[in-house]
Amino acid sequence: MGGQAAIGAAGDADAPALARIFLAARAAALPGLREVHSAEEVAAWLASALMARQRVRMATVAGVPVGYVGFGLDAARGPMVFHLYIAPGWWRRGIGTRLLTEAEAALGPRLSLFCIKRNTAARAFYERHGFRVAATSDGAGTEEGEPDILFARDDGSPDRDDKVGATDERNA
């Protein structure tokens, strides 16, 4: 399971490997997704934006990155997971859960995140971890043009019966 993966801080030198994970995970989970940035552009953004402003932790196996999570405080939404991507060959081995736990340990259980609506595997993962739909969008405000979901979790318990909030449009 995810126990064989080591979790540690990601640095700028890791950005190209993390960009490859980002693109591979999206291609596997979302066939036909319109990617608007090259691997080089994604790596540059990871280093200059995500890693420069937020915390990024990565999972490695035998020194090779297999997943990562980027998290921090969003001015409008508070504690937020900005990226959580696992290389397709490492899905369903507990690594995503371990990385999500890294964000929880740093920010607490009250988290939010965005997920592309048609990514059913990711949606199921987040719902198993207690996230509920807080808002949806038609994708007009996203680079990919894909409808998305804002997930939120109030207390971190996966078996809550109440709802987080009403569905509305996201202006991103």
Side-chain angles (χ1 to χ4, degrees):
M1 298 305 274
Q4 64 185 335
I7 308 292
D12 291 352
D14 300 308
L18 301 188
R20 288 189 294 276
I21 291 169
F22 171 85
L23 292 169
R26 288 164 55 106
L30 300 161
L33 179 70
R34 181 179 67 92
E35 288 295 355
V36 296
H37 299 288
S38 69
E40 294 78 17
E41 291 169 329
V42 173
W45 180 85
L46 286 168
S48 68
L50 188 64
M51 292 177 181
R53 296 183 205 127
Q54 310 298 339
R55 290 189 59 192
V56 179
R57 305 283 290 164
M58 70 177 176
T60 58
V61 174
V64 177
V66 297
Y68 73 97
V69 61
F71 55 88
L73 295 176
D74 178 80
R77 294 179 184 88
M80 188 156 201
V81 173
F82 298 104
H83 273 203
L84 177 54
Y85 290 97
I86 310 300
W90 291 92
W91 289 355
R92 294 176 183 79
R93 296 186 190 202
I95 295 170
T97 297
R98 288 188 58 208
L99 289 170
L100 183 59
T101 300
E102 292 283 318
E104 292 170 353
L107 300 174
R110 195 175 203 134
L111 298 169
S112 60
L113 58 92
F114 283 98
C115 179
I116 293 177
K117 186 175 183 179
R118 67 182 173 101
N119 191 341
T120 56
R123 290 172 58 183
F125 171 83
Y126 294 127
E127 289 168 358
R128 276 194 316 275
H129 288 279
F131 288 86
R132 301 291 179 255
V133 174
T136 61
S137 86
D138 63 4
T142 67
E143 287 187 324
E144 302 89 351
E146 292 269 347
D148 66 359
I149 297 171
L150 172 63
F151 278 105
R153 186 177 63 190
D154 284 338
D155 64 4
S157 51
D159 54 0
R160 288 190 15 234
D161 291 326
D162 60 325
K163 301 294 180 208
V164 172
T167 302
D168 63 1
E169 293 295 316
R170 175 174 79 115
N171 296 321

